[in-house]
């Protein structure tokens, strides 16, 4: 009986030592597992940062391409507007030239009005009547371009072309 108790005690001690060794190995493996998880998580974070950097670069490229497209469209619009502006400038210059010609013609008609009235009349016209006619001639209302028989020249014709 004593030998069995001694053997039981020896086996309990041995089991206890094996359990302590097993617990230490489990603890060591758990520590290694935690370290490996930390390394894996670190690598995953690094991969995510790289992926995010790639995505940001792609977004930047897409935004740059869109901005380049918008810039090209704006340049094209600017060219079209510049062409339109030059056309309008030509039209304005032509209109100014036409206006100057018409103003000069109008001044010439005013200068020649007295002589033409006297020439057109078969009877002698008094100087006072000529002055009144000249005042009325200067007060004439120009024809508008949208009026019937309007020439758009801003002056009244005296029955001549």
């Amino acid at each position: 009986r004593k030998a069995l108790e001694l053997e039981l005690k020896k086996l309990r001690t041995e089991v206890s030592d094996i359990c302590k060794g097993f617990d230490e190995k489990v603890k060591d493996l758990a520590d290694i597992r935690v370290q490996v998880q930390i390394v894996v998580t670190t690598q995953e974070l690094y991969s995510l940062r790289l992926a995010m950097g790639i995505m940001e670069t792609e977004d930047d490229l897409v935004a740059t391409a869109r901005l380049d497209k918008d810039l090209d469209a704006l340049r094209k619009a600017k060219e079209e507007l510049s062409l339109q502006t030059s056309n309008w400038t030509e039209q304005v210059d032509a209109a100014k030239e036409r206006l100057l010609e018409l103003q000069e013609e109008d001044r010439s008609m005013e200068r020649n009005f007295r002589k033409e009235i006297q020439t057109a009349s078969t009877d002698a016209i008094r100087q006072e009547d000529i002055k009144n006619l000249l005042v009325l001639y200067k007060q004439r209302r120009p024809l508008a371009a949208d009026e019937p028989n309007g020439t758009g020249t801003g002056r009244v014709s005296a029955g001549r072309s």
Side-chain angles (χ1 to χ4, degrees):
R1 188 166 167 119
K2 250 183 172 194
L4 284 174
E5 283 181 18
L6 190 62
E7 183 144 346
L8 180 62
K9 191 174 183 184
K10 184 179 173 188
L11 287 173
R12 282 188 182 168
T13 306
E14 194 177 316
V15 168
S16 177
D17 288 342
I18 290 173
C19 283
K20 284 181 186 178
F22 180 77
D23 286 344
E24 286 179 13
K25 283 184 181 180
V26 168
K27 183 183 176 283
D28 289 342
L29 288 174
D31 290 343
I32 291 172
R33 180 177 176 258
V34 169
Q35 289 174 351
V36 167
Q37 284 179 334
I38 288 172
V39 169
V40 167
T41 305
T42 302
Q43 289 302 314
E44 287 176 350
L45 285 173
Y46 182 68
S47 296
L48 287 173
R49 284 186 183 159
L50 289 176
M52 186 176 276
I54 290 171
M55 286 175 40
E56 287 174 352
T57 302
E58 289 174 353
D59 287 346
D60 290 346
L61 291 174
V62 168
T64 301
R66 183 178 40 80
L67 289 173
D68 285 342
K69 182 180 174 184
D70 291 348
L71 184 62
D72 289 341
L74 288 173
R75 284 182 179 151
K76 183 178 179 183
K78 180 184 176 191
E79 289 174 14
E80 291 173 359
L81 290 173
S82 294
L83 181 62
Q84 192 177 30
T85 300
S86 66
N87 289 341
W88 286 343
T89 302
E90 291 173 9
Q91 291 176 359
V92 167
D93 290 343
K96 284 180 181 178
E97 288 178 25
R98 179 72 178 139
L99 176 66
L100 291 175
E101 291 171 4
L102 292 174
Q103 285 175 337
E104 182 58 36
E105 184 180 337
D106 195 44
R107 281 192 289 273
S108 173
M109 287 175 61
E110 275 187 36
R111 285 191 298 262
N112 295 330
F113 179 74
R114 184 182 300 234
K115 183 175 24 169
E116 288 177 6
I117 288 293
Q118 287 176 347
T119 311
S121 174
T122 55
D123 297 331
I125 301 175
R126 297 183 327 206
Q127 286 297 330
E128 183 178 313
D129 291 338
I130 290 178
K131 286 181 185 179
N132 288 336
L133 286 173
L134 187 59
V135 167
L136 290 173
Y137 180 79
K138 288 181 180 181
Q139 293 176 351
R140 72 191 182 278
R141 185 177 69 84
L143 285 178
D146 58 346
E147 289 183 21
N149 300 326
T151 60
T153 59
R155 45 182 193 94
V156 174
S157 70
R160 295 173 292 150
S161 298

